Amino acid sequence: WYPRGAAPETPEAFPCAAHYRDTGWAILRSGFSDADSLLAMRSGYHGSHCQLDQNSFMLCVGGEWLLSDPGYGQVPTELHSTLLCEGKGQSASGGEMTAFGTVGQVSYAAGEAGRCYGGLARFTRHIVLAAKEYYVVVDELAPSAGPVEVTPQLVIGGEDPQIGEAGRIVLHGKQRCAVSLPSAPGETKLVKDRNTRLQTGFTLAEPCLKPMVLQPGRGDDARPVVSTGSGGAVLLRIGEGESVDYLLLNPTGEQRELSLSDAPEMRLSTDGRVLWVRVEGEQVKGWSLIWGSKASVGVTSLVDEAQRADRAG
């Protein structure tokens, strides 16, 4: 349908985030060039795909799949980048994409797959692409009754990853991506059977938020990540020195006030569900807000219709 001699063109006008409702996929990408990255998450009804892979995701960096999908006909949960509960995979109950949207410097999606596990009342996976530079994945988890053993896993598409200290991992092949697990509670191990997987297990006794930050194109030079939790919300600090990003995930939309530094006047206040702020020194250089009406850093009010989304549907 096109001239055979036509050279491919980068689709500059295309959006960098999309939700494919019929099949239950959300795609967040930094751009369309050969050097860009893409994260794709699956959460939808079982019959559209017939694999036990709800809330699994893949990561492509510079055309190379560093976190991969096993392909057609590969059904088990163990072959996908999602969770095991009590050492077991998912039932065929299906998942649901519960939020999606793009505003300002942030693209956001969330999928719910708690009903696929006998021991979980909630497994909401939140994914954020910030400033087209890095991805944040936060698992919102709650047990259905007593404590359960939960095993998050990443299915490796490139070479064996480098596993460092303090939850630092480097995925690599021809490309690379630093992975930070700032709240990893246990040992991260490499499993090799039908595929190569990274697993980190822990005991889930009460509701919690577990973050992960993926920085494409970076390895040992990755920006440091620090996470703090506060009453059902998680605040990530990404970077250090003069330029620092803060990303708050606040699933309930309650009003929050959190300190950004040792300076008492540098406090973040918002009722937003997702708030991303870039601070240089004490100056706010960029921000985006999803599902909220109030946001400020110190005395600087951030509410602006061009950077705010009242809903991400």
Side-chain angles (χ1 to χ4, degrees):
W1 56 272
Y2 59 90
R4 290 187 177 183
E9 295 182 7
T10 302
E12 299 291 349
F14 281 20
C16 286
H19 175 203
Y20 298 92
R21 293 174 175 82
D22 290 347
T23 56
W25 284 92
I27 312 293
L28 311 181
R29 63 190 307 153
S30 62
F32 291 91
S33 76
D34 292 341
D36 283 314
S37 63
L38 174 153
L39 187 147
M41 182 174 74
R42 151 79 178 157
S43 195
Y45 75 95
H46 179 69
S48 71
H49 189 55
C50 296
Q51 294 190 18
L52 303 176
D53 62 348
Q54 303 299 334
N55 281 2
S56 69
F57 70 97
M58 304 179 293
L59 176 71
C60 183
V61 179
E64 182 178 12
W65 292 100
L66 295 181
L67 297 177
S68 64
D69 183 271
Y72 288 105
Q74 304 298 310
V75 173
T77 306
E78 289 81 357
L79 303 180
H80 298 88
S81 296
T82 183
L83 303 183
L84 304 178
C85 184
E86 297 290 352
K88 300 178 181 179
Q90 301 173 357
S91 68
S93 302
E96 178 186 8
M97 203 70 69
T98 57
F100 174 81
T102 298
V103 59
Q105 296 294 303
V106 166
S107 295
Y108 168 66
E112 174 56 46
R115 63 189 178 191
C116 298
Y117 300 89
L120 297 181
R122 183 185 309 119
F123 169 28
T124 307
R125 175 160 277 178
H126 306 265
I127 58 174
V128 177
L129 170 59
K132 297 184 180 180
E133 294 175 9
Y134 56 87
Y135 301 90
V136 176
V137 179
V138 179
D139 289 341
E140 183 184 359
L141 301 165
S144 57
V148 292
E149 293 300 314
V150 173
T151 307
Q153 60 178 26
L154 298 176
V155 175
I156 305 303
E159 301 173 10
D160 287 355
Q162 300 169 359
I163 304 175
E165 298 179 353
R168 174 65 60 82
I169 298 160
V170 178
L171 308 174
H172 64 98
K174 294 180 180 179
Q175 307 295 331
R176 60 180 184 170
C177 177
V179 180
S180 299
L181 306 170
S183 65
E187 179 184 2
T188 300
K189 63 179 181 179
L190 196 63
V191 177
K192 291 189 175 185
D193 40 36
R194 293 175 62 182
N195 56 15
T196 299
R197 295 173 282 161
L198 274 170
Q199 293 184 334
T200 302
F202 62 95
T203 300
L204 177 67
E206 57 186 20
C208 68
L209 296 167
K210 296 291 183 183
M212 174 192 316
V213 178
L214 301 102
Q215 301 181 57
R218 291 183 176 268
D220 295 336
D221 62 337
R223 300 175 76 191
V225 178
V226 177
S227 104
T228 55
S230 175
V234 62
L235 177 67
L236 291 165
R237 187 188 77 208
I238 302 160
E240 61 184 358
E242 281 300 307
S243 181
V244 178
D245 290 359
Y246 295 91
L247 190 139
L248 174 70
L249 181 72
N250 177 26
T252 64
E254 297 178 30
Q255 179 68 32
R256 307 281 181 185
E257 283 211 16
L258 301 165
S259 176
L260 298 187
S261 69
D262 294 333
E265 64 275 11
M266 290 298 289
R267 294 186 64 81
L268 180 152
S269 177
T270 187
D271 62 355
R273 180 166 171 174
V274 181
L275 176 62
W276 173 84
V277 180
R278 175 161 290 175
V279 177
E280 294 183 6
E282 295 187 359
Q283 299 296 315
V284 175
K285 294 298 184 178
W287 65 275
S288 295
L289 175 67
I290 289 180
W291 277 355
S293 61
K294 305 173 184 177
S296 63
V297 173
V299 297
T300 305
S301 177
L302 305 179
V303 176
D304 180 319
E305 294 302 322
Q307 294 275 30
R308 189 184 85 187
D310 289 324
R311 61 173 301 172

